[in-house]
Amino acid sequence: MRQLSNIETIVMLVGGLLMVIGSGASIFLQSWAAYVFAPGALMFAAMQMHQRYDGPNFNIRRLRRMMLLSDVLFLVAALLMFANKGNFLGLQYLSYVKYVHNNWIVVLLVAAILQLYASHRISNELEKDAKKR
Protein backbone atom coordinates (compact mmCIF):
# COMPACT_ATOMS: atom_id res chain seq x y z
CA MET A 1 0.00 0.00 0.00
CA ARG A 2 1.27 3.43 -0.85
CA GLN A 3 1.88 5.40 2.34
CA LEU A 4 0.43 8.89 2.61
CA SER A 5 2.71 11.84 3.23
CA ASN A 6 2.52 13.72 6.52
CA ILE A 7 0.30 16.45 5.06
CA GLU A 8 -2.02 13.90 3.44
CA THR A 9 -2.27 12.01 6.73
CA ILE A 10 -3.17 15.23 8.55
CA VAL A 11 -5.81 16.05 5.92
CA MET A 12 -7.28 12.57 6.31
CA LEU A 13 -7.35 12.82 10.11
CA VAL A 14 -8.92 16.28 10.04
CA GLY A 15 -11.52 14.98 7.58
CA GLY A 16 -12.36 12.09 9.89
CA LEU A 17 -12.60 14.46 12.85
CA LEU A 18 -14.92 16.80 10.93
CA MET A 19 -17.11 13.82 10.03
CA VAL A 20 -17.38 12.83 13.68
CA ILE A 21 -18.15 16.40 14.76
CA GLY A 22 -20.73 16.82 11.99
CA SER A 23 -22.54 13.58 12.68
CA GLY A 24 -22.46 14.20 16.43
CA ALA A 25 -23.80 17.72 16.01
CA SER A 26 -26.60 16.39 13.83
CA ILE A 27 -27.79 14.24 16.73
CA PHE A 28 -28.25 17.44 18.73
CA LEU A 29 -30.19 18.99 15.80
CA GLN A 30 -27.59 21.59 14.93
CA SER A 31 -28.30 23.25 11.59
CA TRP A 32 -24.60 23.57 10.71
CA ALA A 33 -23.85 19.85 11.06
CA ALA A 34 -24.06 19.07 7.33
CA TYR A 35 -21.69 21.94 6.55
CA VAL A 36 -19.07 20.35 8.80
CA PHE A 37 -19.68 16.73 7.81
CA ALA A 38 -19.55 17.24 4.03
CA PRO A 39 -16.05 18.79 3.80
CA GLY A 40 -14.80 16.20 6.26
CA ALA A 41 -16.21 13.37 4.14
CA LEU A 42 -14.72 14.92 1.02
CA MET A 43 -11.28 15.27 2.61
CA PHE A 44 -11.34 11.75 4.07
CA ALA A 45 -12.56 10.12 0.86
CA ALA A 46 -10.12 12.05 -1.32
CA MET A 47 -7.13 10.96 0.73
CA GLN A 48 -8.22 7.33 0.74
CA MET A 49 -8.84 7.40 -2.99
CA HIS A 50 -5.36 8.88 -3.41
CA GLN A 51 -3.83 5.88 -1.65
CA ARG A 52 -3.05 2.99 -4.00
CA TYR A 53 -2.17 -0.67 -3.93
CA ASP A 54 -0.24 -1.98 -6.92
CA GLY A 55 0.69 -5.41 -5.58
CA PRO A 56 -0.47 -8.81 -6.83
CA ASN A 57 -2.58 -9.81 -3.78
CA PHE A 58 -6.19 -10.29 -4.94
CA ASN A 59 -7.59 -10.09 -1.40
CA ILE A 60 -6.10 -6.66 -0.81
CA ARG A 61 -7.44 -5.46 -4.17
CA ARG A 62 -10.92 -6.68 -3.24
CA LEU A 63 -10.74 -5.06 0.19
CA ARG A 64 -9.49 -1.85 -1.42
CA ARG A 65 -12.61 -1.79 -3.63
CA MET A 66 -14.74 -2.22 -0.52
CA MET A 67 -12.94 0.73 1.04
CA LEU A 68 -13.60 2.84 -2.05
CA LEU A 69 -17.28 1.87 -1.89
CA SER A 70 -17.39 3.04 1.71
CA ASP A 71 -15.83 6.35 0.65
CA VAL A 72 -18.58 6.82 -1.93
CA LEU A 73 -21.16 5.98 0.74
CA PHE A 74 -19.64 8.64 3.03
CA LEU A 75 -20.19 11.17 0.26
CA VAL A 76 -23.76 9.93 -0.29
CA ALA A 77 -24.37 10.31 3.45
CA ALA A 78 -23.18 13.92 3.20
CA LEU A 79 -25.58 14.54 0.31
CA LEU A 80 -28.43 12.97 2.29
CA MET A 81 -27.57 15.19 5.27
CA PHE A 82 -28.12 18.22 3.07
CA ALA A 83 -31.32 16.68 1.69
CA ASN A 84 -32.46 16.10 5.27
CA LYS A 85 -32.35 19.85 5.92
CA GLY A 86 -35.12 20.43 3.41
CA ASN A 87 -36.78 18.80 0.46
CA PHE A 88 -34.54 20.27 -2.24
CA LEU A 89 -34.95 17.11 -4.31
CA GLY A 90 -38.56 18.06 -5.06
CA LEU A 91 -40.12 14.85 -3.82
CA GLN A 92 -43.64 14.54 -2.50
CA TYR A 93 -43.78 14.77 1.28
CA LEU A 94 -44.51 11.08 1.90
CA SER A 95 -41.78 9.98 -0.51
CA TYR A 96 -39.37 12.41 1.12
CA VAL A 97 -40.09 11.03 4.60
CA LYS A 98 -39.87 7.44 3.38
CA TYR A 99 -36.67 7.65 1.30
CA VAL A 100 -34.67 10.65 2.50
CA HIS A 101 -35.55 11.85 5.99
CA ASN A 102 -32.80 10.67 8.41
CA ASN A 103 -31.70 7.85 6.08
CA TRP A 104 -28.23 9.38 6.00
CA ILE A 105 -27.69 7.58 9.31
CA VAL A 106 -28.20 4.17 7.67
CA VAL A 107 -25.82 5.01 4.83
CA LEU A 108 -23.24 6.31 7.30
CA LEU A 109 -23.53 3.14 9.39
CA VAL A 110 -23.03 0.88 6.35
CA ALA A 111 -20.05 2.97 5.22
CA ALA A 112 -18.47 2.89 8.68
CA ILE A 113 -18.87 -0.90 8.98
CA LEU A 114 -17.35 -1.44 5.52
CA GLN A 115 -14.51 0.94 6.35
CA LEU A 116 -13.78 -0.77 9.66
CA TYR A 117 -13.84 -4.28 8.17
CA ALA A 118 -11.74 -3.38 5.13
CA SER A 119 -9.08 -1.46 7.04
CA HIS A 120 -8.73 -4.26 9.60
CA ARG A 121 -8.47 -6.96 6.95
CA ILE A 122 -6.07 -4.95 4.78
CA SER A 123 -3.66 -4.54 7.69
CA ASN A 124 -3.82 -8.30 8.34
CA GLU A 125 -3.21 -9.12 4.68
CA LEU A 126 -0.26 -6.70 4.51
CA GLU A 127 1.26 -8.37 7.58
CA LYS A 128 0.86 -11.80 5.93
CA ASP A 129 2.60 -10.51 2.79
CA ALA A 130 5.43 -9.06 4.86
CA LYS A 131 5.96 -12.39 6.66
CA LYS A 132 6.12 -14.27 3.35
CA ARG A 133 8.98 -12.13 2.12
Side-chain angles (χ1 to χ4, degrees):
M1 243 9 225
R2 178 188 166 277
Q3 293 296 319
L4 296 175
S5 70
N6 289 339
I7 294 173
E8 292 170 337
T9 303
I10 290 171
V11 169
M12 186 173 168
L13 290 175
V14 168
L17 183 64
L18 288 175
M19 285 172 40
V20 169
I21 291 170
S23 59
S26 179
I27 292 171
F28 297 110
L29 302 175
Q30 299 296 320
S31 62
W32 49 267
Y35 297 105
V36 174
F37 183 86
L42 189 62
M43 289 167 32
F44 186 82
M47 289 302 109
Q48 275 201 339
M49 289 178 186
H50 186 65
Q51 216 173 10
R52 279 201 258 290
Y53 176 72
D54 295 327
N57 191 333
F58 177 74
N59 287 332
I60 295 177
R61 289 180 182 272
R62 178 183 56 86
L63 291 166
R64 181 81 180 110
R65 284 191 297 266
M66 284 176 63
M67 193 176 282
L68 293 177
L69 174 65
S70 73
D71 291 336
V72 170
L73 289 176
F74 282 136
L75 297 174
V76 169
L79 178 68
L80 287 175
M81 276 182 95
F82 280 113
N84 197 41
K85 292 175 60 96
N87 189 6
F88 72 84
L89 298 174
L91 299 173
Q92 293 178 350
Y93 181 72
L94 291 177
S95 296
Y96 168 75
V97 169
K98 185 175 182 180
Y99 298 115
V100 176
H101 187 68
N102 285 339
N103 283 341
W104 66 270
I105 298 169
V106 175
V107 175
L108 180 62
L109 180 64
V110 171
I113 290 171
L114 283 174
Q115 187 72 228
L116 184 65
Y117 174 75
S119 62
H120 176 70
R121 291 279 296 130
I122 285 175
S123 67
N124 286 345
E125 290 292 326
L126 288 174
E127 286 178 11
K128 284 182 190 177
D129 280 354
K131 286 181 183 178
K132 286 180 182 178
R133 293 180 190 172

